[in-house]
Amino acid sequence: MASIPGAEIPSLKLSDGTSIPMVRDFVRIQRGARTDASVDWLRHGTDRALIDSIKTAIKLGYYHLDAAEIYNNEEEVGLAIKESKVPREKLFVTSKVGKSVGDIPKALDTSLKKLGLEYLDLYLIHTPFFASSDSELQSAWSAMESLQASGKARSIGVSNYTQKQVEVTLATAKVPPSINQVEYHPYLQHENLVPYMKSKGIATAAYAPLTPIRKARPGPCDTLLEALSKKYYVSEGEIALRWCIDQGIVVITTSGNEQRLSDYLRATTFRLTPKEVRDVSEAGILKHYRGFYQGKYGENDKS
């Protein structure tokens, strides 16, 4: 696979001083994939194809690996890391607690054992949907803070939190979340969430950033993305990734295809102008599309 000239994944410094690579490889589930966080995505046995896919991503320079308890893929991530022989300090490994959120310290120990690691670079609460009260959100965050203090998780954050849920968490937090990982793309900009978090020193990570191209066509961004792809000689997907990066947002890619992973690195070789970023944002708000957790939100809920 030919390298991409000038491709170098940038890093973003989080509020706790941790530097996070801004392009992350989501370790794709090979079978049994579900988007309902209440369902355990069961797979049986070790998936050799998945291990090889992760190793390919590492070889291409994707040192930020995204796993989770509910993906049931931590053993494969751990084996890929071991077989890649890349020094641990060069990697940035993220995982998330989901179904075991009632005992977060035990959940982290289990994840570390599966991964074969002594610590995680970033540990997230996968969703807020477990909580039926503010106090449950706050209690879970207190447990996360203890893990960071122990050194088992160097940075801690949340995922799929709305502004209200972030506010509730911050009300009793001793350490604020370093990042909130959310579905983010031109058709789901979450109203004031991103600027609010920025004001609190909380970074944003975007999953499903390619939704306007892969799931939500036709849409008001189609013509603009096509024009920008021709201007910069890249794919529309790479424009969508760059739109996030130019806002200081970490992006999560979802391909297990070596060529596509290599191509995505082109998103690190150019910049959109501020006007182009605004143009995509303004076109995007003309349509609302949520690809994940649709049952948790009203049809027109953009939070």
Side-chain angles (χ1 to χ4, degrees):
M1 182 63 58
S3 61
I4 303 296
E8 183 175 346
I9 295 176
S11 293
L12 177 71
K13 183 160 283 191
L14 302 177
S15 59
D16 57 14
T18 303
S19 289
I20 181 171
M22 291 189 71
V23 182
R24 182 192 311 180
D25 178 43
F26 165 70
V27 183
R28 171 170 285 189
I29 304 302
Q30 298 297 316
R31 49 186 184 269
R34 296 289 298 273
T35 57
D36 182 349
S38 67
V39 177
D40 184 9
W41 296 352
L42 292 175
R43 294 185 297 104
H44 301 285
T46 302
D47 188 332
R48 186 69 240 176
L50 180 55
I51 294 168
D52 290 341
S53 176
I54 300 164
K55 289 170 63 179
T56 295
I58 294 172
K59 179 183 70 175
L60 290 171
Y62 288 87
Y63 290 158
H64 187 175
L65 304 175
D66 185 72
E69 174 193 30
I70 201 169
Y71 302 160
N72 199 20
N73 62 356
E74 291 169 320
E75 289 184 15
E76 283 86 351
V77 174
L79 286 169
I81 290 171
K82 182 178 180 180
E83 292 179 14
S84 74
K85 301 189 185 304
V86 172
R88 172 65 181 94
E89 60 271 17
K90 289 190 70 172
L91 298 172
F92 192 102
V93 183
T94 297
S95 196
K96 313 175 196 71
V97 58
K99 62 181 182 178
S100 301
V101 71
D103 190 345
I104 292 176
K106 183 178 178 180
L108 177 57
D109 285 341
T110 299
S111 289
L112 289 173
K113 183 177 180 181
K114 288 181 177 180
L115 288 160
L117 301 177
E118 295 182 356
Y119 68 91
L120 285 176
D121 298 279
L122 177 62
Y123 196 44
L124 306 176
I125 297 176
H126 204 147
T127 78
F129 307 133
F130 68 91
S132 58
S133 67
D134 290 355
S135 62
E136 287 184 273
L137 284 175
Q138 293 166 344
S139 177
W141 186 249
S142 179
M144 294 288 283
E145 291 175 327
S146 71
L147 297 181
Q148 186 181 39
S150 75
K152 293 181 180 179
R154 294 192 169 179
S155 193
I156 52 176
V158 296
S159 183
N160 297 298
Y161 275 42
T162 63
Q163 181 173 332
K164 172 72 185 316
Q165 290 155 343
V166 173
E167 290 171 349
V168 167
T169 300
L170 289 176
T172 58
K174 297 175 183 176
V175 177
S178 64
I179 198 165
N180 184 11
Q181 179 177 308
V182 296
E183 179 183 352
Y184 186 85
H185 47 77
Y187 299 149
L188 186 58
Q189 298 180 46
H190 297 280
E191 299 175 328
N192 195 51
L193 176 63
V194 173
Y196 168 77
M197 292 194 301
K198 187 173 183 180
S199 74
K200 300 297 181 181
I202 302 171
T204 301
Y207 69 82
L210 305 182
T211 293
I213 299 142
R214 290 187 173 178
K215 292 184 177 181
R217 289 190 187 274
C221 286
D222 291 355
T223 301
L224 180 55
L225 292 174
E226 181 182 4
L228 290 172
S229 73
K230 290 178 179 178
K231 174 182 176 180
Y232 290 103
Y233 300 98
V234 298
S235 71
E236 293 177 36
E238 289 146 39
I239 295 295
L241 295 177
R242 190 70 221 188
W243 175 76
C244 292
I245 294 170
D246 282 333
Q247 296 178 77
I249 294 173
V250 176
V251 292
I252 302 168
T253 62
T254 57
S255 179
N257 179 277
E258 182 173 359
Q259 182 63 59
R260 195 169 294 150
L261 283 169
S262 179
D263 290 346
Y264 286 159
L265 292 176
R266 278 198 297 261
T268 68
T269 65
F270 69 97
R271 292 177 181 268
L272 298 175
T273 68
K275 182 181 184 302
E276 289 166 345
V277 172
R278 288 195 304 272
D279 287 347
V280 174
S281 299
E282 290 169 3
I285 61 175
L286 299 176
K287 176 173 180 172
H288 173 59
Y289 183 92
R290 187 187 297 273
F292 293 81
Y293 303 109
Q294 294 170 344
K296 301 292 185 181
Y297 301 90
E299 184 178 352
N300 297 312
D301 186 346
K302 300 180 181 181
S303 64

